[in-house]
Amino acid sequence: MSRLLPVFGLAILLAMGHAPNALAASDGDEANAKVEAERLQKDKDQRKKDKKFNRDITYRHAIGPDVLPLGPFTISLYIDGRLTEHRLKVALQAVDTAKKSELEAAKTQLYGIVYPLCLKLFEKGRPSSSDILAFKAQVQKNVSTRFKDSLKGVYIESVL
């Protein structure tokens, strides 16, 4: 029994010495859990935004003989004194195969219509979702002005 007393006393001292560390660890765990929960919520919100933004990219599942890919366009601009480079792939969906053939024959003209709009899209840096939607509407309008009743939709394949 006399041998157990020093061991028991030592165990109590060790327990008292480590108790503040155990409390600090639990506070740290709570803070980490809170930060992790915030990060997960931000990721969830970003995924929702991405899903909404990427729904137009799902044209790949319905790609058919009426889709004409354009690009990739490489845009190099100086923004705030820094060189930035971007790549953009666009796809135009024609009303039918005959209209697609007409658009394909005039591909150089389409590049002349789409490329300046690509430059405008990236002139302020990485575009927002609303900038991309405005870009698509402008491409639709400009191409439809030149090629009447030929275009069904404008899709962005990738933005890098």
Side-chain angles (χ1 to χ4, degrees):
M1 187 91 158
S2 64
R3 287 188 195 170
L4 283 173
L5 191 58
V7 172
F8 184 68
L10 183 60
I12 291 175
L13 289 174
L14 286 174
M16 290 173 39
H18 289 292
N21 291 338
L23 290 176
S26 66
D27 289 342
D29 289 342
E30 289 177 16
N32 288 340
K34 183 179 178 183
V35 168
E36 182 68 17
E38 289 173 4
R39 186 187 65 76
L40 290 174
Q41 184 61 36
K42 285 180 182 178
D43 285 348
K44 184 178 177 183
D45 293 340
Q46 186 62 43
R47 278 193 302 272
K48 284 182 183 177
K49 288 179 186 177
D50 290 344
K51 184 177 180 182
K52 183 178 177 185
F53 175 74
N54 289 333
R55 73 174 180 254
D56 289 336
I57 295 178
T58 59
Y59 80 93
R60 284 181 177 269
H61 298 291
I63 205 163
D66 301 337
V67 177
L68 176 68
L70 296 176
F73 298 102
T74 301
I75 295 106
S76 297
L77 296 170
Y78 280 96
I79 300 173
D80 297 327
R82 290 183 11 233
L83 178 65
T84 60
E85 292 196 9
H86 307 278
R87 294 191 76 170
L88 178 70
K89 290 174 109 180
V90 178
L92 304 177
Q93 185 174 10
V95 175
D96 57 16
T97 308
K99 294 290 185 179
K100 183 203 175 207
S101 299
E102 178 185 333
L103 290 174
E104 198 162 21
K107 208 167 189 178
T108 306
Q109 292 175 8
L110 290 173
Y111 280 120
I113 293 170
V114 175
Y115 186 71
L117 295 173
C118 291
L119 289 174
K120 185 178 176 187
L121 177 66
F122 289 103
E123 69 186 358
K124 295 178 186 170
R126 181 117 177 123
S128 66
S129 296
S130 59
D131 293 336
I132 290 175
L133 292 174
F135 166 78
K136 289 168 56 174
Q138 190 66 39
V139 169
Q140 176 97 22
K141 179 183 167 198
N142 290 0
V143 172
S144 294
T145 301
R146 172 65 180 90
F147 302 96
K148 304 269 189 261
D149 300 327
S150 295
L151 207 57
K152 190 176 192 179
V154 177
Y155 301 97
I156 294 183
E157 188 175 332
S158 65
V159 178
L160 302 174

